[in-house]
Each structure stands twice: as C-alpha cells, then as structure tokens.
Amino acid sequence: MSVLIFIDAAEGQVKKSSLEAMTYGAKIAEQLNVAAEGVVLGNVTEDLAALGKYGVKKIHQVSNDELKNLDAQVYANVIAQVAEASGATVIVFSNSMDGKAIAPRLSARMKAGLVAGAVALPDTSNGFTVKKSVFSGKAFANISVATPVKIISLSPNAYKTVAGEGTAEVVAFAATVDAPKVKVTSVNKASGEVPLTEAEIVVSAGRGLKGPENWGMVEELAKLLHAATACSRPVADADWRPHNEHVGQTGFAIAPNLYIAIGISGAIQDLAGVNRSKVIVVINKDPEAPFFKAADYGIVGDAFEVVPKLIESIKKLKGVA
Amino acid sequence: MKILVCISKTPDTTAKIAFTDNNTKFDESGVQWIINPYDEWYALVRAIELKEADASTVINLVTVAGADADPIIRKALALGGDEAIRVNANSHDSFYIASQIADVAKQGGYDLILTGKETIDYNGSSIGGMVAELLDQPFISLAAKLELAGTKATLTREIEGGEEVCEADLPLVVSAQKGMAEARIPNMRGIMAARTKPLKVVEPVAADSLTTVAGFDLPPAKAGVKLVDPENVDELVRLLHEEAKAI
C-alpha cells in the first residue's frame, strides 16, 4: 500500500507545486502508516533521488518520448498502471493546470473519489474527509470519500514545503503508453517570470492606476519582491494587462503568502479568488473601499505617491541601491 | 456538427455565502441563480459562434438538476441553444453528474462537448475530464481558443506561466475559459423563441456517487485592518517584515 504522488516537471525541472504535493502526500502516508511514493512521467533531467528529502521513499519513472507533452488521456492511463502496481490507496496531485486535466480522468477511470482543491490534510479519525475551498474561496467544504482509492488535488500554496533528509529509490516503470491523440504544436511561456498561481507574493493593481502606461511601478515593486503581477477584471477587460494576469471570481484563484492590492476597490468579485491569501495589503485612496475590510494592512493614500515610497523602503530593507 | 454544451446552475457572483442546518446546507434564501459564468460566457457563446459560422450546426444543452434550473436553461436557449436536456437529479458529486452527462452524450452522438472550466460554487474543474474519460475521448482543459477545420480542432490551452497550442481530432471534450468568446446578452427574439424550444426532462441513469459533502465552514473573520499613515510607508515595510514575516 502506498500514497502515490504525481510529480509534475516542466522542462526537466520539478514544479514547486509538486514539492508541496510531495510534502503533503508524505504526511498522509505517515498518517496512514504506508509508504509515500512518487510517479514521474517523461524524461526529467533533475536528480530525482534527491526528492527523497520531501518524504518520498520511491519514485517510479516512466520514460517515454510520447509523454513529452501532456495528453490527459495518456497520462491518466499510465498513472493508473503505476497506482495499481504500487497499491496506492491515496493519489495526490497539485491542483495545478495539469492536475486539473489529469485528476478527473483518473478519478473516473479508477472510480476513485476526487477532492479537487484540498487545503488541509485529510481527517482520518472517522472515515476520510478532506477540506477544500469552495465558492471561489468564500467558504470551505468538507468532502467525505468512501471509495477504496482516493484522489486529492492539493491547492497550490495551501501546504508548506518541508525539506528534510533522505534520498528516494528511483525505479524505471515499464508502462503501456498509448500514442497521444493531442498534438502540441507550440508552447509560449513568459520565461523568467514567476507563474501567478505558484507565486509566494503577488502585486496586483486595478483601475486606480488610470492606464496601462502606469504599470511600471507595479512591475518594479513585483520584481523587487520576486513577486508575480496580477490585475483586476476591469483592467484585463480594457486590455491594459493580459488576461492571464486577471485574478478574482472569473480569473485565477490564488493563495499567496502576501497579496498587495493597489487601486482595487475590492468588490466581492475581486475578493473571491484572492481571499485565501495569508496577508493582504491594500493601498487605495478611497477610505471606504470594501477591500480594506478584507485587508490585514492598509494605507489610505494615492497609489502614485505611496507605491514609489514603498519601493524605496523595500530597497532599503533589502539593501539594494 | 453536433455540439453538446454542459451548463450548471450556480449562485450569482455577488450572492451572500451562508449555510444552514448546522452548516451542512447552502443557504439559498434570497440567492439569485445564474448560468455558471464559464459555461455561459465561454462554452455556450463559442458554440453559438461556431453555429453562426456553419448554420448546419446543432447546439444541445445538458444540465443535471431539478426543475428549479428551468429558468437558467430557458436563458441558455434564448442565447442560442437549439434544444435542452435536463437530467432530473440533484447531486453534488462530480462523478455522478459526469456519468449522467456521458449517458446523454452517448445517445446524442456529439462531435464536440463543451463545459466551463469550473463552476463558481464547487470549483471542482472535474466534469469535463470525467466525461471525456467515460466516453474515451481526448480532453483539452482550460482552453482559451478553439478553432475548427473539418474534423480537426486547434486549441490554445493555459499552462503554468504561459499557453500552448495543440491539435486534436473530433470527437473531443473541451473545458472553456476566458478568451474563448465574449459574453452576450439574449435579445428579445431569442427570448421569445426560447419559450417554444424543446426542453426535455429525462430521469437519471444508475450511477455511483464517489464523494459526499459532510459540511461547510466559513473562513475565520479577519482581525481588522491595521492602517498605516501614507507619510510613513517605512512602518508598513517594518510590519510586513517583522510582524507578518511576509517579506
């Protein structure tokens, strides 16, 4: 028996969200007194044995050129084979974009109950119940799973990565790999930027910035903090910023450690999707802006005066000239 | 071309989220119900656009819900669906719902099945993938673009930190998100026509439920905002560094 964790790699490097999934899965394995094992698909250059420090004892690697790009159908089939071979009773994914493609397929394939968007460890005191985020972060639901195999997709940034000691045994797994039916023809990635859903710190701005030409200071602040940039819906709709920066009810749901909202009023739709952020800072010149109610720290002031000062102050803290 | 669009009834985005019966049931009092925005704005409108480009296209709608979903189904028909099928069941289990949709899909023989990327209530993002698996069809998740040429689909899907373009042959299941189409409002002609469009109610097929909702929690209330003087931004940085340990 095992807890099997899907280890997702992009360009040969294991994603941060998978480190969280490994730490989380290893903790569940400890809870259930079984081994934590990982599964990696494709040719990964990173030293997989070193991932043992996140608590996985064994990693099944399926090397096959057909697994270079994601075809959820092919991936789910291969993961099911590994899960059966390792006797997995719990399978853990990150609820990342790839996780959202694969986990539901695997759930239907194995008739294994799925909790998508888990935010805490399962409660195994009476059955198997997992807390997940619902209503776009406005509430939590406790989902009970009674099937022999359970699948959990862990919300990114919901469980802290812990690196300890140890190495994992890496074994080649000979799986039947179907030819993909989905052909990836091009990949377009903003290199060097922090992906929004994985970012520890997010700097977001809204209509209060008056126009796309004023985003320089937002980008500078984000760079200084190694943060991702985001925006409110009106800003994305007006094409001031790309749609993939839109957070909120109909955009990305994020849960960073620190969320800085600049010139965003904080309508209920803005709050959904970001209210699981651990610390929220709001900068707005309107003291009545609803966002202040959800904030931990706030400054009532003009963004064009406050943000440059904030940049200077953080530079001082970090000792950057 | 036959397209099946999966729609779900969800509370309005501004609805107050509260629970009753010892936190086991969503409090529906005073809640306005809408078509799940991702289903409506992106999946359905893209289907309508495809029909506008090829008039022989048929758009069927499917929802798994009780009769209280009929108003939102009529709205979807007013926007441009041709016919709707409501599977008469109430469930919060994705696999049960997906099993019903897969059964409707098998009987209808669709070239393309569209869902929204997730519902704004349970945020599961699961139905599309499960339906695809039950039908043994490819699944493209989180698609921001969809073009068809004959039986070949070209899609742009979101990946961490970017996007990728991919191709697949129909039949296919796609979950749609922002970028796929622009929200529309139904016109008077559509609303009139929707009254007489077929809304078929079918009983559910036997299917397993893999999960149950044991209860809900609301997030703890915030302690209240600590306001910092705009003339003293250093104090905010000190608090974030020393107190919140966030930077």
Side-chain angles (χ1 to χ4, degrees):
Chain A
M1 300 230 289
S2 74
V3 171
L4 183 69
I5 300 123
F6 173 65
I7 303 170
D8 197 2
E11 287 132 25
Q13 292 294 310
V14 172
K15 291 182 189 169
K16 178 190 159 229
S17 57
S18 284
L19 306 184
E20 294 167 0
M22 275 186 267
T23 308
Y24 176 83
K27 195 78 195 166
I28 298 174
E30 208 180 291
Q31 238 173 294
L32 300 175
N33 203 14
V34 297
E37 301 185 359
V39 52
V40 172
L41 307 192
N43 304 312
V44 179
T45 48
E46 195 169 321
D47 177 14
L48 291 175
L51 297 176
K53 65 173 178 274
Y54 301 104
V56 286
K57 302 283 179 248
K58 189 177 189 180
I59 293 176
H60 305 270
Q61 184 173 20
V62 187
S63 299
N64 189 311
D65 286 343
E66 304 277 37
L67 298 168
K68 187 165 170 278
N69 292 304
L70 171 70
D71 179 327
Q73 197 168 13
V74 178
Y75 270 46
N77 184 350
V78 171
I79 296 166
Q81 294 173 47
V82 177
E84 272 153 35
S86 85
T89 52
V90 179
I91 306 171
V92 176
F93 287 85
S94 167
N95 199 32
S96 61
M97 292 167 192
D98 287 358
K100 285 176 184 175
I102 308 163
R105 284 204 84 116
L106 188 65
S107 167
R109 187 178 190 93
M110 300 184 73
K111 280 211 174 183
L114 166 67
V115 182
V119 295
L121 286 167
D123 177 356
T124 52
S125 58
N126 177 22
F128 193 97
T129 305
V130 190
K131 189 186 284 289
K132 67 161 283 189
S133 170
V134 289
F135 295 101
S136 308
K138 285 177 261 185
F140 300 103
N142 298 303
I143 308 291
S144 297
V145 191
T147 50
V149 179
K150 287 112 178 143
I151 304 179
I152 305 176
S153 280
L154 176 67
S155 246
N157 281 343
Y159 201 80
K160 214 167 171 46
T161 300
V162 181
E165 300 285 318
T167 44
E169 177 198 355
V170 182
V171 291
F173 187 93
T176 310
V177 182
D178 301 329
K181 290 185 201 159
V182 178
K183 194 174 130 213
V184 174
T185 52
S186 72
V187 177
N188 180 10
K189 260 189 163 172
S191 58
E193 284 175 31
V194 184
L196 187 51
T197 46
E198 289 197 356
E200 298 273 349
I201 302 179
V202 173
V203 180
S204 185
R207 265 183 303 192
L209 255 63
K210 299 195 168 70
E213 67 280 6
N214 296 325
W215 245 261
M217 61 182 188
V218 176
E219 284 170 348
E220 190 184 350
L221 178 60
K223 204 169 163 204
L224 198 54
L225 293 169
H226 301 290
T229 51
C231 68
S232 65
R233 178 166 170 214
V235 165
D237 283 353
D239 283 331
W240 292 2
R241 300 294 293 175
H243 279 298
N244 58 17
E245 284 198 1
H246 163 205
V247 293
Q249 179 86 62
T250 50
F252 285 114
I254 55 170
N257 276 328
L258 174 61
Y259 180 76
I260 303 178
I262 303 164
I264 303 176
S265 68
I268 195 160
Q269 294 95 329
D270 294 327
L271 294 177
V274 304
N275 48 9
R276 286 196 302 114
S277 306
K278 286 181 194 74
V279 178
I280 296 179
V281 176
V282 170
I283 299 167
N284 203 304
K285 66 179 176 190
D286 174 11
E288 301 297 317
F291 221 145
F292 282 115
K293 289 200 181 76
D296 299 281
Y297 302 99
I299 291 187
V300 180
D302 185 345
F304 294 100
E305 286 166 24
V306 173
V307 176
K309 282 186 198 164
L310 186 57
I311 291 171
E312 286 316 307
S313 183
I314 292 171
K315 276 186 181 166
K316 256 191 287 172
L317 174 78
K318 296 202 175 235
V320 197
Chain B
M1 170 77 57
K2 270 185 91 175
I3 305 176
L4 182 65
V5 180
C6 310
I7 61 172
S8 176
K9 185 193 84 166
T10 58
D12 180 38
T13 54
T14 58
K16 184 173 159 23
I17 305 303
F19 303 99
T20 61
D21 292 19
N22 201 16
N23 278 344
T24 56
K25 277 206 182 81
F26 176 61
D27 184 359
E28 299 191 356
S29 59
V31 168
Q32 290 269 8
W33 297 97
I34 58 169
I35 310 171
N36 179 45
Y38 296 107
D39 302 345
E40 177 190 333
W41 301 347
Y42 309 124
L44 176 57
V45 176
R46 186 65 193 129
I48 294 165
E49 289 173 355
L50 292 169
K51 187 181 165 97
E52 284 165 355
D54 171 9
S56 69
T57 302
V58 174
I59 303 171
N60 285 4
L61 310 169
V62 61
T63 191
V64 180
D68 54 357
D70 286 352
I72 68 117
I73 301 172
R74 289 286 172 207
K75 187 190 170 192
L77 289 169
L79 279 162
D82 292 305
E83 191 180 322
I85 300 149
R86 175 167 66 78
V87 181
N88 191 26
N90 274 306
S91 171
H92 292 307
D93 180 66
S94 309
F95 183 77
Y96 181 89
I97 294 167
S99 301
Q100 305 305 328
I101 294 171
D103 185 69
V104 167
K106 271 179 202 156
Q107 292 180 31
Y110 297 93
D111 303 291
L112 179 65
I113 299 175
L114 292 170
T115 75
K117 76 159 182 174
E118 65 185 52
T119 58
I120 61 166
D121 48 9
Y122 284 84
N123 307 111
S125 211
S126 306
I127 299 294
M130 288 183 176
V131 169
E133 185 66 29
L134 292 167
L135 297 173
D136 195 24
Q137 288 179 10
F139 170 52
I140 309 287
S141 55
L142 313 179
K145 272 186 203 144
L146 162 66
E147 297 297 336
L148 293 180
T151 58
K152 191 168 160 194
T154 305
L155 301 108
T156 302
R157 75 175 274 265
E158 197 100 28
I159 56 173
E160 259 84 20
E163 55 184 37
E164 67 183 21
V165 180
C166 55
E167 294 172 355
D169 287 327
L170 302 178
L172 182 68
V173 182
V174 175
S175 80
Q177 66 158 352
K178 195 159 193 155
M180 176 79 83
E182 290 292 331
R184 295 181 178 188
I185 44 170
N187 57 31
M188 193 42 81
R189 212 171 123 227
I191 294 167
M192 298 302 284
R195 291 184 185 170
T196 52
K197 285 181 181 173
L199 193 174
K200 211 163 89 187
V201 180
V202 299
E203 290 307 310
V205 291
D208 290 328
S209 286
L210 308 182
T211 60
T212 47
V213 180
F216 296 94
D217 299 316
L218 287 168
K222 286 263 179 185
V225 59
K226 238 181 222 181
L227 286 177
V228 176
D229 186 334
E231 296 305 319
N232 191 7
V233 177
D234 283 349
E235 173 63 7
L236 175 67
V237 172
R238 188 194 68 77
L239 286 167
L240 288 176
H241 184 60
E242 291 174 14
E243 187 179 83
K245 295 188 172 27
I247 58 173

